[in-house]
Amino acid sequence: MDVAKGEALYKEKGSKFIGYVFPVTSEDEIKECIESVKKKHHTARHWCYAWQLGVENLQYRVNDDGEPNNSAGQPIYGQILSKELTNILVIVVRYFGGTKLGVGGLINAYKTAAKLILGEAEIVVKTIDIHFQLIFEYQYMNKVMRIIKEENLEILNQKMELNCDFIISVRKKNSQKVKDRFEDLRCLNIKEV
């Protein structure tokens, strides 16, 4: 399992905090990533993490791995939220340096390590798209194409036989507006596919 973007090191009073970030799509993948980091840092004291999956039905989990409650996983998760990320796992490995940091010091250290690694990560922006099928007579091609160009829509598939049959991709947040524009033409059938 490869790290999305290197590792980030933060030091505080002798303790070392090493951050990792992984793009993930399932809890099984998350477990593999955590095991991989634990193997790599088998002598570390703590492997704290936070993850978030999904888009519309978000799932998340935080883990303090033996640190005081909410002193590690929650600050890491806060950094995920602040960057509005999903399908991501952030792990911060701690090597204890002999000096206790206190809850405030731990919160700051885990937050900082997470912020550093997320600052180095390459963020991939993806959109949620809806696909529509448009069926219309050839004589209405200009009207249909004008809307496709104005709304910057992607044509995924097109068949031009007796009728024209297009499959288009629309960003979900714009889907109702685009559907209404095509329905206002009254010269085609539109349905979600």
Side-chain angles (χ1 to χ4, degrees), residues 28-45:
D28 288 339
E29 227 178 319
I30 291 166
K31 286 176 189 161
E32 286 177 29
C33 294
I34 293 167
E35 288 308 311
S36 161
V37 170
K38 281 185 174 183
K39 277 183 192 164
K40 182 174 182 173
H41 294 281
H42 61 278
T43 60
R45 181 73 63 92

Side-chain angles (χ1 to χ4, degrees), residues 129-135 156-157 165-169 190-193:
D129 297 329
I130 304 286
H131 296 163
F132 288 111
Q133 179 181 34
L134 309 175
I135 298 176
L156 301 175
N157 190 5
D165 184 347
F166 284 15
I167 305 291
I168 59 169
S169 180
I190 181 171
K191 70 176 181 180
E192 192 174 326
V193 290

Side-chain angles (χ1 to χ4, degrees), residues 4-5 21-25 54-55 83-88 118 120-128 171:
K5 187 75 176 178
V21 61
F22 297 90
V24 290
T25 56
V55 180
K83 292 204 176 271
E84 298 179 336
L85 302 173
T86 191
N87 294 337
I88 188 166
L118 288 172
E120 288 182 20
E122 179 184 338
I123 307 299
V124 178
V125 178
K126 295 183 179 179
T127 60
I128 302 171
R171 286 185 78 162

Side-chain angles (χ1 to χ4, degrees), residues 7-192:
E7 52 185 61
L9 175 64
Y10 176 73
K11 293 180 180 179
E12 179 71 30
K13 295 183 181 173
S15 284
K16 288 195 299 186
F17 296 84
I18 305 166
Y20 291 91
V21 61
F22 297 90
V24 290
T25 56
S26 70
E27 287 190 51
D28 288 339
E29 227 178 319
I30 291 166
K31 286 176 189 161
E32 286 177 29
C33 294
I34 293 167
E35 288 308 311
S36 161
V37 170
K38 281 185 174 183
K39 277 183 192 164
K40 182 174 182 173
H41 294 281
H42 61 278
T43 60
R45 181 73 63 92
H46 302 281
W47 305 270
C48 304
Y49 61 86
W51 56 261
Q52 182 159 278
L53 289 177
V55 180
E56 292 174 325
N57 299 314
L58 291 175
Q59 295 177 286
Y60 74 96
R61 185 160 299 137
V62 298
N63 186 316
D64 296 319
D65 193 40
E67 295 283 29
N69 278 355
N70 299 320
S71 67
Q74 202 58 49
I76 295 168
Y77 185 58
Q79 291 304 301
I80 291 172
L81 292 177
S82 73
K83 292 204 176 271
E84 298 179 336
L85 302 173
T86 191
N87 294 337
I88 188 166
L89 164 66
V90 177
I91 303 171
V92 178
V93 177
R94 179 184 183 194
Y95 286 92
F96 184 61
T99 304
K100 292 191 176 200
L101 302 179
V103 172
L106 289 171
I107 289 171
N108 183 57
Y110 281 104
K111 173 184 167 186
T112 303
K115 186 176 185 175
L116 287 171
I117 192 60
L118 288 172
E120 288 182 20
E122 179 184 338
I123 307 299
V124 178
V125 178
K126 295 183 179 179
T127 60
I128 302 171
D129 297 329
I130 304 286
H131 296 163
F132 288 111
Q133 179 181 34
L134 309 175
I135 298 176
F136 55 96
E137 292 179 17
Y138 190 78
Q139 69 192 43
Y140 300 111
M141 177 68 77
N142 288 342
K143 290 180 178 184
V144 171
M145 290 308 293
R146 184 177 314 120
I147 294 173
I148 288 173
K149 283 190 176 113
E150 287 172 359
E151 296 292 341
N152 198 22
L153 304 175
E154 181 183 358
I155 299 173
L156 301 175
N157 190 5
Q158 61 185 8
K159 287 185 222 156
M160 297 204 264
E161 294 166 355
L162 193 55
N163 286 328
C164 300
D165 184 347
F166 284 15
I167 305 291
I168 59 169
S169 180
V170 181
R171 286 185 78 162
K172 184 174 181 178
K173 70 178 186 180
N174 301 331
S175 64
Q176 191 57 52
K177 178 182 101 172
V178 168
K179 185 176 183 196
D180 291 345
R181 284 197 68 189
F182 280 119
E183 285 176 342
D184 287 347
L185 285 181
R186 303 202 189 290
C187 63
L188 59 76
N189 289 322
I190 181 171
K191 70 176 181 180
E192 192 174 326

